[in-house]
Amino acid sequence: MNRRNPHRMRRTLVRLAVVLVTALVAPPLQAEGLRVLVVPFTIHAEQDLTFLQKGITAMLSTRLTDAGKVAIVEQSEALEALADIPRPLNRETAAEAGRRAGAQFVAFGSLTVFGGSISTDARFADVATNTIIVSFNETGQNHGDVITHVNTFAEAVNTRVFGRDQTVGASQPKPPEAAPAPPVDQSQVNPEKKIWQSGGMRIGATDPDLDTSDAAIWRSRRFKFQIKCLTLGDVDGDGQTETVFASDREVLIFRSVDRRFLKVTTFELDTTVTIVGLDAADINGNGRAEIFINCRSKQYVPQVIVMEWNGAAFASIHEERFWFYRVSRDAKTKHARLFGQKGRTDAVMMGPAHHLAWTEGGYQSQAAVPLPKGVNVFGMAYGDVTRDGVENVVVFDRKNHIQVLGPGGREEWRSFEPFGGGRTWMITVEEYRNSQKEGYLYNDPMPDDFFWVSQRIILVDINQEGQNAVIVVHNEDITKGVMARQRMYRQGRFECLAWDNLGLAGLWRTRKFAGYISDYNLGDFDNDGRDELVFAVIKRTGDPVTGQKKSYLVSWDPYRREQQEPAEPAPIEF
C-alpha cells in the first residue's frame, strides 16, 4: 500500500473530477453490460468469520463494478446459481455457476487462517472459455493484510480483464448524499472497519463446552471416529504447541488455549493410503516442526509423507516408499532424533534403524542402529536409561516385552511381563499380491501372519534430576494372547519405570482407563511451560447397530504425585 501513498492526493482529485463530469455529461447507461458472479470466499478457520466472508464479497463487488459496463450478480441470484455445485469451486464448477447466473466472469477464492499467518487465494474465471485468467495468492501476518490482498486482486482484474487505468480509477458509485440509502445489512457496512474491529482473525473453538477438566486431568469432546495416532509439536513456528491427531486419512490440528481445545485446521490424504502413525519434530531446523505421516497404500506398500506449513497451507516436502519414520526424544539431553527403518516386498520392516538428518533436501542416513530381529522402529526410544553415560536403545520385542540394549545391540535387560499392546497391523506387499491372484484360496481379510505395529516408548525426566525414565502404556488384552489374530482391549493404564542397577523397576502407574489407548505422547499440550502426557482413548470401534465410532483425547500431568498409584515391585533378576 505504501507505493500508492505519493499519488493519493492526485488520485483523489482526479476521481472527484471524473464523478462530476460523469454526472453532468455522461451518456445514458448501456442497457446491458458484462456480468460478474462474485462467489463468497471459502473460509478455512474454525472461528465464525461470516462477517469476513461478507466483507470480502462487498469489497470485491464495489471494486469490480463499473456503471453501465460491469455489473455484479445479486447475491440472491448467486446463491441460486451455486445450488448443487460442490464447494470449493474449481475452474469447471466456477464456469458452470457463471453460466447459470448469466455471467461472463466468476470471482472466487478462499482465505486460510492458521497461527499467525493469513493466506488469500483468489481466481477470476472466464465462463466462455472455461479458464482462469487471473490467479492471485498472497500471505500476510495480520488482518489488515486481507484488505491489501482484496484490493490488489481487484486491481489486477480491472487492469488485465477490463482494461481500466488504475492510476485514474474506475467509475465510482454515487456518493451517499446523492440519494437516500436504503437499509443495508450491517455485516457488510465498511468491511475494512469490521475486520479491524474483530479483534483479529484467530482460531476458533468448536463446542468447547464438551471438553471437561479438573485440576489434574482434562478430557476432550468425543470424536465420531477412531483416533489412531497423535503427536505434539509447534507446527507453525509461533512458539505454541499444537496437537496433531489422525483417523485413517484425515489429519486434524488443534491447540489448547486456556483449557479450551481449539481447532486450527485439517487436511486429508489421498484415498489410496491409510495412516498408520504420526510424529512431529523440527528436524530440518527451520523453526517449524515437520509432520511425519506413516501410512500404507491399498497394496500395503509402506510409505512416509512429510508435511510442513509453508505459510499458507501444509505441503509435502518429502515422500519415501518402503520406509517408516519415528521421532525419539531424549529427556536428559533434550534432543529429538529421527529414525527410519526400511521395508521390502517380503518384509514390512527389517534391519537396523537409521538415524536420519535433513541434508541435501532430504532425510539421509547418518548412522545405523542395530535392532533385534522382529523389532520395529515404532516401538523404539534412544537415550541413556542405564545412567552410565552410554546411550541405550529401548525397544518392544515381538511379544511386547521391553528390552534395553547396550553398545552393539547387546541386551542389558528384558522385562518379565509384556507392556504396550496395539491393534494396528500390516501385511507384506508379497502376501497382498498373492491374495489377489485368481483362484487363490486365501480370501480372509485377517491374515495368519500379522505384523503388529508397536506402541511408543517415551523417555521422561520424571524426577527432574537429569536422568531418563521410561513411560509405556499397558493395554490389557482380554484374550491373554491366546488368539493370535485378535487383540481385544477394554482398558489400559500407563506405567513409569526407572533403572535401579538391576533393570527397569516400576516407579508408579496410573489408574486404569476404560477403553483402548491407541497412542500417546509427552509435551507442553496446554502451553503452560510444563509437559503433559496426552493420549487417545477409543471407546467404541463401531457400534453393532449404528456403526458409530467414538474416541477422545486425555491430557494428564505425570508429575502430580497424588494422581499416581504405587507400582507393583518388579521381580529381581540375578
Side-chain angles (χ1 to χ4, degrees):
M1 294 181 70
N2 291 336
R3 62 182 177 84
R4 295 185 292 169
N5 288 341
H7 309 288
R8 184 175 295 168
M9 183 65 71
R10 179 173 62 84
R11 291 173 61 186
T12 301
L13 294 175
V14 171
R15 285 178 176 175
L16 285 173
V18 169
V19 171
L20 291 173
V21 172
T22 300
L24 294 172
V25 302
L29 298 180
Q30 299 175 9
E32 293 185 3
L34 297 174
R35 282 165 58 88
V36 177
L37 172 64
V38 177
V39 178
F41 275 34
T42 301
I43 306 294
H44 299 295
E46 283 305 307
Q47 185 181 9
D48 185 5
L49 298 178
T50 303
F51 76 89
L52 181 60
Q53 185 183 58
K54 292 181 178 180
I56 293 173
T57 302
M59 291 164 65
L60 275 179
S61 298
T62 300
R63 285 151 180 75
L64 297 180
T65 297
D66 192 0
K69 298 178 181 179
V70 180
I72 305 301
V73 176
E74 293 291 335
Q75 280 299 294
S76 58
E77 294 182 59
L79 294 177
E80 291 180 6
L82 291 166
D84 303 324
I85 292 182
R87 310 282 287 275
L89 298 181
N90 54 35
R91 60 186 180 88
E92 291 85 5
T93 55
E96 174 59 25
R99 283 188 285 271
R100 292 184 183 182
Q104 288 75 41
F105 302 99
V106 180
F108 64 100
S110 65
L111 187 75
T112 302
V113 182
F114 181 62
S117 299
I118 299 167
S119 175
T120 306
D121 295 89
R123 304 289 184 266
F124 198 79
D126 187 324
V127 173
T129 60
N130 196 29
T131 58
I132 303 296
I133 51 179
V134 177
S135 180
F136 176 88
N137 173 263
E138 191 60 72
T139 60
Q141 298 301 318
N142 58 66
H143 35 51
D145 290 336
V146 178
I147 302 170
T148 304
H149 296 170
V150 174
N151 283 333
T152 304
F153 174 62
E155 288 178 3
V157 171
N158 285 330
T159 301
R160 294 162 56 183
V161 181
F162 302 130
R164 300 181 197 170
D165 184 357
Q166 294 299 302
T167 62
V168 176
S171 300
Q172 297 297 306
K174 293 182 179 181
E177 296 85 344
V184 296
D185 183 353
Q186 291 300 313
S187 65
Q188 296 199 40
V189 174
N190 197 355
E192 292 95 337
K193 184 176 181 181
K194 188 79 171 181
I195 294 172
W196 280 95
Q197 289 180 345
S198 70
M201 293 181 291
R202 303 180 297 273
I203 55 178
T206 53
D207 298 327
D209 292 338
L210 296 180
D211 302 327
T212 61
S213 65
D214 57 27
I217 196 165
W218 170 94
R219 192 214 71 198
S220 76
R221 75 217 68 170
R222 289 182 173 87
F223 296 94
K224 294 181 180 180
F225 58 84
Q226 293 187 50
I227 301 176
K228 296 185 62 177
C229 44
L230 69 92
T231 187
L232 301 168
D234 179 10
V235 298
D236 63 343
D238 66 349
Q240 300 291 303
T241 299
E242 282 79 40
T243 303
V244 185
F245 55 105
S247 60
D248 282 338
R249 293 184 182 88
E250 184 180 22
V251 178
L252 303 92
I253 302 172
F254 278 58
R255 184 186 299 148
S256 177
V257 180
D258 297 327
R259 307 295 277 187
R260 295 178 300 150
F261 202 40
L262 313 179
K263 183 188 288 185
V264 178
T265 190
T266 66
F267 60 88
E268 289 191 19
L269 301 187
D270 191 86
T271 56
T272 60
V273 299
T274 300
I275 297 174
V276 175
L278 285 177
D279 264 309
D282 181 18
I283 301 300
N284 59 16
N286 64 359
R288 300 185 300 273
E290 304 102 271
I291 300 176
F292 302 97
I293 307 173
N294 294 296
C295 52
R296 64 162 177 83
S297 70
K298 290 184 178 179
Q299 294 75 34
Y300 285 89
V301 175
Q303 181 180 1
V304 63
I305 302 172
V306 186
M307 305 288 285
E308 187 176 69
W309 179 249
N310 61 14
F314 281 97
S316 173
I317 63 170
H318 182 82
E319 296 186 18
E320 194 89 41
R321 296 173 77 239
F322 287 102
W323 277 85
F324 279 139
Y325 289 178
R326 174 61 93 200
V327 172
S328 174
R329 288 181 170 82
D330 188 335
K332 178 180 177 180
T333 64
K334 311 300 183 184
H335 290 160
R337 294 183 176 93
L338 179 66
F339 291 94
Q341 193 174 18
K342 293 182 180 180
R344 302 187 318 200
T345 57
D346 61 345
V348 177
M349 283 189 285
M350 64 178 300
H354 293 265
H355 178 208
L356 305 175
W358 179 264
T359 58
E360 300 178 354
Y363 298 93
Q364 308 293 334
S365 177
Q366 307 300 299
V369 180
L371 293 179
K373 184 178 179 180
V375 170
N376 62 78
V377 73
F378 286 102
M380 170 188 168
Y382 190 85
D384 176 16
V385 298
T386 54
R387 306 190 178 194
D388 57 2
V390 177
E391 291 181 314
N392 307 103
V393 177
V394 188
V395 295
F396 281 124
D397 68 13
R398 285 182 290 183
K399 295 185 177 180
N400 280 328
H401 295 276
I402 299 175
Q403 277 184 282
V404 178
L405 309 178
R410 181 183 70 250
E411 181 180 300
E412 299 284 350
W413 178 83
R414 182 194 299 258
S415 67
F416 281 89
E417 62 176 319
F419 294 87
R423 284 203 306 242
T424 301
W425 56 269
M426 294 271 293
I427 59 173
T428 66
V429 175
E430 187 176 88
E431 186 171 5
Y432 173 80
R433 289 174 179 171
N434 287 336
S435 70
Q436 303 303 302
K437 291 179 180 178
E438 186 176 355
Y440 190 64
L441 296 178
Y442 167 58
N443 292 316
D444 188 350
M446 299 284 283
D448 292 323
D449 188 15
F450 279 123
F451 176 92
W452 293 101
V453 175
S454 296
Q455 291 273 20
R456 280 179 207 276
I457 297 176
I458 295 177
L459 301 184
V460 57
D461 183 8
I462 200 67
N463 292 323
Q464 305 293 299
E465 57 184 15
Q467 299 292 340
N468 283 320
V470 171
I471 290 181
V472 291
V473 73
H474 190 180
N475 283 315
E476 295 185 7
D477 184 0
I478 64 175
T479 71
K480 303 298 182 182
V482 174
M483 301 172 64
R485 303 200 307 162
Q486 292 286 344
R487 291 185 175 183
M488 301 176 65
Y489 301 109
R490 294 292 182 265
Q491 59 186 10
R493 71 195 320 163
F494 290 94
E495 304 208 20
C496 183
L497 307 98
W499 193 260
D500 66 355
N501 292 326
L502 296 177
L504 290 176
L507 290 181
W508 50 257
R509 58 174 50 172
T510 66
R511 65 177 177 83
K512 294 179 180 179
F513 298 95
Y516 162 59
I517 300 174
S518 59
D519 198 8
Y520 51 99
N521 221 313
L522 188 73
D524 188 7
F525 166 76
D526 55 7
N527 294 293
D528 65 349
R530 183 182 177 93
D531 286 347
E532 291 83 26
L533 182 66
V534 182
F535 54 97
V537 179
I538 296 178
K539 287 287 292 181
R540 184 175 295 170
T541 59
D543 188 279
V545 177
T546 65
Q548 189 179 59
K549 302 173 182 179
K550 286 185 180 180
S551 59
Y552 56 84
L553 295 172
V554 177
S555 171
W556 178 78
D557 188 345
Y559 301 95
R560 293 177 64 96
R561 294 292 191 263
E562 65 270 21
Q563 294 294 318
Q564 301 165 2
E565 297 179 4
E568 296 178 359
I572 297 177
E573 180 181 358
F574 295 99

